[in-house]
Amino acid sequence: FCFAIVNVFLEMCRYPLGMTGGQIQDEDISASSQWSESTAARFGRLDFDNGDGDGAWCPGITSETDGLKEYLQVDLRSLHFITLVGTQGRHADGMGNEFAQRYRINYSRDGSNWAGWHDRKGRQVIEGNRNAYDVVLKDLEPPIIARFVRFLPVTDHSMIVCMRVELYGCEWLDGLMSYSIPDGHQMIFRGLDVYFNDSVYDGATAERLTRGLGQLTDGTWGLDDFLHSHIYSMWPGYDYVGWNNKSFPKGYVEMIFEFDHVRNFTSMKVHCNNMYSRGVRMFRQATCYFRSGPDWEADPVTFRPTADRVSQIARFVTVPLGDRTASSIKCRFHFSDLWMLFSEVLFQLSFDLTGDDPTHKVDDSNTRILIGCLVAIIAILLTIIVIILWRQVWQKMLEKASRRMLDDELTARLAVQTQAFSSHHSSSSSDGDSTSNSTYERIFPLCADYQEPSRLIRKLPEFAQSTEHLEKTDKALANGGLEGAPHYAEADIISLQESSDSSTYSITAVNINLFAGTDSSMKEFPRHKLTFKEKLGEGQFGEVHLCEAEGMLDFLDEDLSIEGNNESPLLVAVKTLREDANKNARNDFLKEIRIMSRLRDPNIVRLLAVCVDTDPLCMITEYMENGDLNQFLYRTEPEEKEEKSMVCSRKLIRMAAQIASGMKYLSSLNFVHRDLATRNCLVGKNYTIKIADFGMSRNLYRGDYYRIQGRAVLPIRWMSWESILLGKFTMASDVWAFGVTLWEILTLCEEQPYSQLSDEQVIENTGEFFRDQGKQVYLPKPACCPDKVYNDLMLSCWRRNAKQRPSFQEIHTQLMENDKH
Ligand code: AMP
């Protein structure tokens, strides 16, 4: 995938920069000298035979030595990534016969420090023209990043040379002017010399490399096996710059990146090798400092990527830079093994409102025209936006209408919601504000915003043509999966609770039988009987504490499943709503209490009691000694991991079977969890697993959620295609998430699902599931996953047709059978 990008980038970045086309102004073309006014620099444009001039630039050579210093200079006005150059001689319709057989290129980013281009083997001289008319193109390997480029004909005094030139490339938007790093080291691998030096660095090379750019910005990234290279006949290790841990007593390599001016940075992508079998691993931690003035700011950004002990694939690691503003960034990359190898560093910028670029000088005489054009473009854009918005409103109305026809039951529910909303409007209007301010709100299916096919699906080009197909799918989904099962049982439960004093919710009473015999009211536990022991973790709601609950067993007055005796107080987990929580968070917290109070199963975390009479609100749940499943598996020691893969995942499959069992219980209640993932399962004694988190996502796992339209936060990597594109959450979409959870378990949570894909690419992949043309990417078979489990179970959870996915009953049976074999 990365290869594709690299090639596309280098192949795409070959636009003529404007010598022929005239975008480069005459005053930006200069020369060391000219033979005559009619062979001045401005005539040195490729394929340009202007009547005024003599058909090319020709220097005025006075002596042999001067001849070597002659140059034609092009100022591109901003930094450009230049991949190709073209030269031509002076033909002048057969009147001229001067050309440069050989030439060199010098370039500069700031106009004062100049570097001489050389190829990857150190050769500076480029073979030029053989006649006065043919254009000779030359790939710059490595490409250069520069604003000023000089062509220096290599000649002897006996020959007059003339040149016409063109530069090809694209604008270098990073604004990165230079990086400074310790030069790379040499590795001896099985008697082979492997050089990790930055061999194309164009700055000063002393103890550290300074004031230059090189292999880390050459647009070529390394292969998984660092001994091999994309580039033919280069030495082993060529693509990478790498360092040995032993030479860095502080345990990190420091790199400084200097930019042309102050910019806003969203993230940095570092392409790392991860051949851990040869002692190479991606960095353990990156700490980046920022500087806009003379001093480094005190508060760095620190990022720890998830270590990958499974895959040796070289990959881009994205370091979030938190939209910090800087003109220099200093990053310390900490080793996690003997070697650390990088092949590319890229920066992603956010839109810079204040960024006045000193390299972009606007010609005064053109300013008015420019402003006029901009105003015209803005006006056209505004008109287009208005038309698009108008079309969207119509489309929305049409979709709503078609959905209404397709899904009567849903319409009834929506109607109830609307009615309820209008009847409670005055009392709940203040909630509205807090909703829009919410920073973490997880989607609730009846939220009108997400009820319609998401805007995401409109991104799919064929959506317009295939609404019919989509509607069919939609209908199938609406009826499918579970016969007659309400899709949004969770919402029903909530409504049920809220309906006690409201006739508008009567429709949901149909579902009362779901919870027949279950006492929905949670008893208030005396707060003073809780004794704090330690902090267990932190979620979006607030902290989770381990507490002793004095007299809890008496209080519960039943339940033999809770271990303990009345002499010693019971250990419980107490989740507290943080004091500064807004109304929205408070409602969600209460919602989680309501849901959990109705669930009773050995594989569902049990809510024991609550403290809601006074603030802060607390829910008391059973204590799960080993924390969440994601961390539990991730922390497993490497030796244990080996053993696990040998026993081939038996224990792991048993864990998954417990989750399936809990989900089987939820499905018997038509309850849709919507966020099944290892992070939301807890581990107790003897590998007991229980499903938890009927509320919010956690801080620790923020990266697992994707923010859509600035509001809803979705765990897209766990979501079925129809949940993402149509907003459909059903038991069948929980089955999809179960498939991903099973994958996580069998990979010991060492990697985020689809870790190679960005959030946007995951959504695109979802589109491929929808299109079903065989282009969708599935999560790969984990190393220790039995073939049968992958082929018969995991893949079946991700079937496009929700009806064809197995039920939790079937999944559970299958996993139990697998355990027996
Ligand atoms: P949450 O707010 O539910 O996302 O929980 C935050 C963290 O607290 C989890 O990642 C767990 O490590 C820990 N935690 C939550 N509930 C329990 C529990 N019942 N027993 C043990 N640890 C828990």
Side-chain angles (χ1 to χ4, degrees):
F1 181 71
C2 287
F3 271 134
I5 295 178
V6 101
N7 293 333
V8 167
F9 177 62
L10 287 179
E11 272 165 30
M12 299 267 298
C13 181
R14 291 162 85 87
Y15 303 102
L17 297 180
M19 288 294 276
T20 308
Q23 294 90 336
I24 296 171
Q25 307 282 317
D26 279 352
E27 62 262 34
D28 293 329
I29 310 168
S30 56
S32 53
S33 70
Q34 60 200 40
W35 181 262
S36 67
E37 187 48 37
S38 58
T39 59
R42 66 177 186 281
F43 300 113
R45 297 171 183 272
L46 193 105
D47 268 338
F48 201 78
D49 240 337
N50 186 318
D52 301 352
D54 228 349
W57 162 71
C58 314
I61 301 171
T62 49
S63 74
E64 189 180 332
T65 37
D66 279 352
L68 293 174
K69 288 186 188 156
E70 300 299 336
Y71 62 80
L72 172 67
Q73 175 176 313
V74 182
D75 176 1
L76 294 165
R77 293 281 178 159
S78 63
L79 290 179
H80 280 72
F81 193 81
I82 302 160
T83 52
L84 184 70
V85 288
T87 56
Q88 212 178 6
R90 187 182 82 92
H91 183 54
D93 292 330
M95 304 284 288
N97 190 31
E98 299 83 14
F99 52 91
Q101 288 189 357
R102 294 179 302 148
Y103 64 97
R104 287 184 292 125
I105 283 185
N106 284 356
Y107 62 94
S108 169
R109 288 182 275 278
D110 57 7
S112 56
N113 293 306
W114 289 85
W117 178 86
H118 56 81
D119 71 8
R120 298 192 187 272
K121 295 207 166 128
R123 291 177 294 231
Q124 292 196 325
V125 175
I126 301 172
E127 289 300 319
N129 299 94
R130 297 258 154 227
N131 57 46
Y133 42 89
D134 282 332
V135 175
V136 173
L137 294 172
K138 174 77 194 175
D139 274 298
L140 291 182
E141 272 283 333
I144 55 179
I145 296 161
R147 174 182 158 175
F148 303 92
V149 180
R150 284 179 181 170
F151 289 80
L152 300 94
V154 176
T155 176
D156 61 56
H157 63 289
S158 62
M159 198 177 155
I160 299 172
V161 294
C162 298
M163 289 184 95
R164 287 178 285 167
V165 302
E166 178 62 289
L167 296 160
Y168 302 84
C170 50
E171 202 165 356
W172 176 243
L173 296 168
D174 260 14
L176 181 62
M177 295 284 274
S178 69
Y179 60 75
S180 140
I181 56 169
D183 199 4
H185 297 153
Q186 179 186 349
M187 174 199 261
I188 311 276
F189 179 73
R190 297 192 186 137
L192 191 70
D193 286 325
V194 185
Y195 296 97
F196 292 127
N197 58 328
D198 192 340
S199 57
V200 299
Y201 193 74
D202 63 12
T205 49
E207 203 179 311
R208 273 178 80 86
L209 308 183
T210 50
R211 295 198 304 276
L213 294 175
Q215 269 181 288
L216 297 185
T217 49
D218 68 353
T220 312
W221 35 95
L223 299 171
D224 299 339
D225 182 349
F226 54 80
L227 296 178
H228 298 160
S229 165
H230 295 289
I231 296 147
Y232 177 65
S233 81
M234 298 316 289
W235 56 85
Y238 179 78
D239 287 344
Y240 287 96
V241 184
W243 306 271
N244 187 315
N245 195 351
K246 288 189 188 136
S247 313
F248 296 90
K250 289 183 184 160
Y252 60 77
V253 172
E254 187 170 276
M255 300 190 179
I256 301 173
F257 302 92
E258 305 280 355
F259 296 83
D260 52 358
H261 61 90
V262 175
R263 289 166 181 271
N264 260 3
F265 294 92
T266 316
S267 60
M268 169 174 65
K269 284 179 180 274
V270 184
H271 189 260
C272 308
N273 191 281
N274 200 46
M275 279 241 120
Y276 53 79
S277 57
R278 295 181 192 162
V280 178
R281 264 180 221 274
M282 59 199 231
F283 55 91
R284 174 172 59 80
Q285 175 183 317
T287 305
C288 295
Y289 296 80
F290 301 84
R291 181 172 71 185
S292 303
D295 299 319
W296 293 104
E297 287 161 25
D299 50 336
V301 167
T302 295
F303 171 74
R304 284 184 201 92
T306 315
D308 186 347
R309 297 188 191 96
V310 178
S311 159
Q312 304 218 55
I313 290 174
R315 82 280 313 266
F316 269 102
V317 180
T318 304
V319 180
L321 296 179
D323 280 328
R324 292 281 291 265
T325 309
S327 57
S328 309
I329 300 179
K330 175 169 74 182
C331 292
R332 292 175 176 165
F333 295 96
H334 293 254
F335 286 90
S336 57
D337 211 320
L338 188 57
W339 286 89
M340 189 159 68
L341 312 183
F342 294 173
S343 77
E344 196 78 6
V345 179
L346 306 168
F347 288 87
Q348 291 190 319
L349 312 169
S350 56
F351 184 60
D352 186 2
L353 285 172
T354 55
D356 57 330
D357 180 349
T359 60
H360 280 277
K361 279 185 230 139
V362 180
D363 182 353
D364 277 350
S365 60
N366 288 333
T367 310
R368 281 171 188 213
I369 302 171
L370 204 67
I371 291 174
C373 289
L374 282 176
V375 170
I377 291 169
I378 290 170
I380 293 169
L381 284 178
L382 281 177
T383 322
I384 293 171
I385 289 169
V386 168
I387 294 170
I388 290 173
L389 287 177
W390 183 245
R391 277 176 55 120
Q392 275 190 357
V393 168
W394 271 104
Q395 215 172 348
K396 217 170 168 182
M397 284 163 72
L398 285 173
E399 276 162 13
K400 261 188 189 157
S402 67
R403 282 181 75 82
R404 241 175 238 138
M405 285 192 295
L406 287 168
D407 198 334
D408 288 341
E409 186 198 13
L410 193 59
T411 314
R413 278 167 209 287
L414 276 169
V416 170
Q417 280 280 313
T418 323
Q419 237 178 315
F421 176 73
S422 53
S423 70
H424 294 295
H425 189 62
S426 52
S427 64
S428 62
S429 57
S430 55
D431 290 23
D433 294 341
S434 54
T435 305
S436 58
N437 289 338
S438 162
T439 51
Y440 61 85
E441 187 186 357
R442 201 169 81 180
I443 281 291
F444 277 84
L446 281 178
C447 146
D449 259 16
Y450 202 59
Q451 195 56 67
E452 306 144 30
S454 146
R455 255 152 260 196
L456 292 170
I457 200 165
R458 293 194 202 116
K459 285 190 180 169
L460 302 175
E462 67 276 49
F463 175 64
Q465 293 106 50
S466 62
T467 38
E468 197 190 315
H469 176 51
L470 180 64
E471 279 167 10
K472 258 192 236 152
T473 328
D474 222 4
K475 193 165 187 174
L477 278 160
N479 302 329
L482 292 133
E483 291 305 326
H487 291 310
Y488 306 121
E490 175 175 336
D492 292 340
I493 299 168
I494 297 156
S495 320
L496 184 62
Q497 180 74 11
E498 284 163 326
S499 71
S500 49
D501 59 353
S502 163
S503 58
T504 50
Y505 280 100
S506 56
I507 192 163
T508 53
V510 174
N511 294 313
I512 285 178
N513 63 349
L514 288 178
F515 303 99
T518 316
D519 180 9
S520 65
S521 61
M522 253 300 134
K523 281 202 279 178
E524 177 81 12
F525 187 75
R527 209 178 271 272
H528 66 269
K529 291 193 174 171
L530 292 172
T531 314
F532 173 82
K533 301 293 284 179
E534 64 180 76
K535 183 174 153 182
L536 290 173
E538 190 160 354
Q540 286 282 6
F541 283 137
E543 294 188 343
V544 182
H545 295 157
L546 173 65
C547 292
E548 280 178 354
E550 193 192 320
M552 178 59 93
L553 286 178
D554 268 348
F555 175 85
L556 291 174
D557 189 25
E558 36 121 13
D559 215 342
L560 306 167
S561 67
I562 299 289
E563 288 174 28
N565 56 58
N566 266 351
E567 321 298 68
S568 62
L570 188 74
L571 285 176
V572 291
V574 178
K575 199 188 258 194
T576 314
L577 179 67
R578 73 164 62 90
E579 295 199 351
D580 60 355
N582 64 15
K583 213 166 187 175
N584 201 45
R586 196 183 166 89
N587 285 344
D588 287 334
F589 192 82
L590 292 170
K591 224 177 259 178
E592 184 168 3
I593 291 180
R594 275 179 225 132
I595 295 167
M596 285 186 75
S597 66
R598 290 170 163 80
L599 304 174
R600 194 71 67 87
D601 181 80
N603 295 110
I604 304 283
V605 168
R606 174 151 174 219
L607 180 66
L608 303 174
V610 291
C611 305
V612 289
D613 279 357
T614 53
D615 278 343
L617 305 185
C618 295
M619 60 175 101
I620 305 171
T621 63
E622 58 183 308
Y623 169 51
M624 301 292 285
E625 289 79 352
N626 287 305
D628 74 71
L629 179 58
N630 188 287
Q631 288 293 303
F632 177 75
L633 291 175
Y634 184 66
R635 280 194 313 254
T636 318
E637 291 302 318
E639 308 82 65
E640 232 182 294
K641 284 186 179 171
E642 300 246 306
E643 183 229 334
K644 268 197 186 122
S645 60
M646 264 163 29
V647 183
C648 209
S649 60
R650 228 177 175 170
K651 255 186 212 164
L652 300 178
I653 299 242
R654 258 179 238 157
M655 288 181 177
Q658 294 184 62
I659 300 176
S661 174
M663 290 306 294
K664 194 168 81 176
Y665 165 76
L666 293 185
S667 62
S668 72
L669 303 177
N670 289 330
F671 180 95
V672 180
H673 187 287
R674 294 173 299 109
D675 196 5
L676 182 60
T678 53
R679 63 180 173 276
N680 290 333
C681 297
L682 294 170
V683 188
K685 286 198 189 90
N686 304 323
Y687 298 100
T688 318
I689 314 288
K690 301 196 183 199
I691 301 165
D693 258 277
F694 300 89
M696 287 305 110
S697 60
R698 296 175 205 153
N699 275 335
L700 183 62
Y701 298 104
R702 209 180 308 146
D704 289 345
Y705 294 85
Y706 176 72
R707 185 173 290 275
I708 167 180
Q709 294 159 23
R711 183 166 181 271
V713 178
L714 300 172
I716 50 169
R717 289 163 200 270
W718 282 259
M719 279 164 71
S720 66
W721 70 267
E722 74 274 6
S723 302
I724 294 182
L725 298 180
L726 304 173
K728 290 263 181 200
F729 291 83
T730 61
M731 286 319 306
S733 61
D734 271 358
V735 166
W736 181 297
F738 177 84
V740 182
T741 309
L742 178 60
W743 182 89
E744 285 188 278
I745 295 175
L746 291 167
T747 53
L748 296 168
C749 298
E750 289 192 317
E751 214 183 314
Q752 198 188 33
Y754 314 100
S755 62
Q756 317 281 36
L757 304 187
S758 66
D759 285 346
E760 285 70 24
Q761 286 166 338
V762 169
I763 291 169
E764 268 172 30
N765 193 35
T766 304
E768 294 300 346
F769 272 103
F770 165 68
R771 282 187 276 265
D772 202 23
Q773 293 167 343
K775 290 189 195 152
Q776 62 272 43
V777 177
Y778 290 87
L779 288 169
K781 185 170 96 65
C784 76
C785 175
D787 287 345
K788 200 167 153 43
V789 172
Y790 184 68
N791 295 327
D792 297 354
L793 185 57
M794 215 183 273
L795 289 178
S796 69
C797 294
W798 305 323
R799 286 191 184 134
R800 183 185 187 278
N801 185 341
K803 268 188 179 171
Q804 288 174 0
R805 291 175 206 154
S807 66
F808 279 112
Q809 170 72 54
E810 287 161 347
I811 294 176
H812 184 241
T813 314
Q814 216 170 321
L815 287 171
M816 296 303 282
E817 266 170 20
N818 199 285
D819 191 36
K820 276 187 227 143
H821 297 313

